[in-house]
């Protein structure tokens, strides 16, 4: 609950005071980036906690963070490099990546999205579609992530299981890249 309250206060500050928004993204040691990425991928304790309320809270944290990222121009303008870097570190078994991939897809397509979270105020972010070199860089990162997925034989031998959420998010993102930049956007990555 404290994290949700913090997100609401931060959202109000960043939307009410553009200079505070710029100061937030310029905090030392990549504080803003780490804050946004950690909450966008929030799943702390999800393996040990199966209570519906805990799952709902974690999901709301991720949705509200996605909303904050996409509807705050100073954040959405800087988000793609942050998300590309974080993509490499996402565990292939993670089941808390829907909002992460949704945010990347929206930024790749250059769409405007408001009201991600249920309590969001309608705000249209300023998001420009990335240029072709950026799309190629994102494509390469997505293809590396797809290639890093465990092979079926390795899973069978290890008796393991993997979530399809990361793989599905990568394929949706790859589709968005093709739709945004055509085949040239993915020619290097593939």
């Amino acid at each position: 609950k404290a994290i949700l309250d913090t997100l609401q206060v931060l959202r109000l500050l960043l939307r009410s005071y553009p200079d505070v928004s710029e100061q937030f993204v310029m905090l030392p040691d990549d504080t803003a980036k780490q804050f946004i990425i950690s909450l966008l991928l929030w799943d702390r304790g999800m393996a040990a906690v199966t209570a519906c309320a805990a799952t709902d809270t974690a999901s709301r944290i991720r949705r509200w963070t996605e909303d904050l990222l996409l509807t705050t121009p100073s954040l959405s303008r800087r988000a793609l490099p942050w998300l590309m870097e974080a993509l490499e570190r996402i565990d292939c078994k993670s089941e808390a990546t829907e909002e992460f991939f949704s945010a990347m897809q929206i930024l790749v397509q250059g769409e405007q999205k408001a009201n991600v979270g249920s309590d969001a105020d309608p705000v249209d972010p300023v998001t420009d579609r990335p240029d072709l070199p950026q799309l190629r860089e994102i494509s390469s990162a997505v293809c590396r992530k797809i290639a890093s997925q465990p092979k079926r034989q390795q899973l069978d031998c290890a008796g393991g299981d993997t979530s399809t959420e990361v793989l599905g998010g990568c394929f949706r993102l790859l589709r968005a890249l093709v739709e945004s930049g055509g085949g040239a956007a993915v020619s290097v990555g593939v």
Side-chain angles (χ1 to χ4, degrees):
K1 177 88 172 110
I3 295 171
L4 292 172
D5 292 339
T6 302
L7 277 169
Q8 284 182 329
V9 169
L10 183 61
R11 187 178 77 194
L12 288 171
L13 283 171
L14 297 182
R15 290 184 182 168
S16 300
Y17 304 101
D19 57 322
V20 170
S21 179
E22 288 299 323
Q23 291 171 4
F24 176 71
V25 297
M26 300 307 281
L27 287 171
D29 301 323
D30 291 330
T31 302
K33 174 178 77 172
Q34 292 174 10
F35 179 80
I36 294 296
I37 297 300
S38 67
L39 294 183
L40 195 55
L41 294 168
W42 187 263
D43 69 345
R44 303 273 162 100
M46 294 309 295
V49 179
T50 58
C52 223
T55 302
D56 182 56
T57 299
S59 177
R60 285 179 43 202
I61 289 169
R62 292 189 305 271
R63 281 193 324 266
W64 287 14
T65 304
E66 179 188 11
D67 172 66
L68 178 69
L69 175 69
L70 295 175
T71 61
T72 307
S74 64
L75 293 175
S76 63
R77 282 192 305 267
R78 292 169 174 85
L80 272 175
W82 296 355
L83 297 173
M84 280 181 17
E85 181 182 322
L87 178 62
E88 294 179 20
R89 295 188 314 266
I90 291 177
D91 185 340
C92 295
K93 297 177 188 174
S94 178
E95 295 181 11
T97 60
E98 180 180 340
E99 295 79 7
F100 176 88
F101 283 107
S102 172
M104 272 193 93
Q105 184 175 344
I106 289 164
L107 291 168
V108 160
Q109 293 171 330
E111 293 181 1
Q112 294 185 349
K113 182 172 183 180
N115 297 324
V116 175
S118 59
D119 298 330
D121 298 324
V123 175
D124 291 332
V126 178
T127 56
D128 296 324
R129 182 172 287 170
D131 60 16
L132 190 57
Q134 289 173 310
L135 292 174
R136 285 181 175 152
E137 189 176 347
I138 297 164
S139 171
S140 293
V142 171
C143 289
R144 281 192 304 272
K145 185 48 120 181
I146 291 171
S148 75
Q149 295 292 306
K151 308 249 182 305
R152 185 71 190 160
Q153 294 94 356
Q154 292 171 335
L155 289 174
D156 290 341
C157 292
D161 191 18
T162 187
S163 169
T164 59
E165 191 167 318
V166 172
L167 189 58
C170 286
F171 282 124
R172 285 188 302 278
L173 187 52
L174 205 53
R175 178 181 172 196
L177 286 160
V178 171
E179 289 173 350
S180 294
V186 296
S187 64
V188 175
V190 178

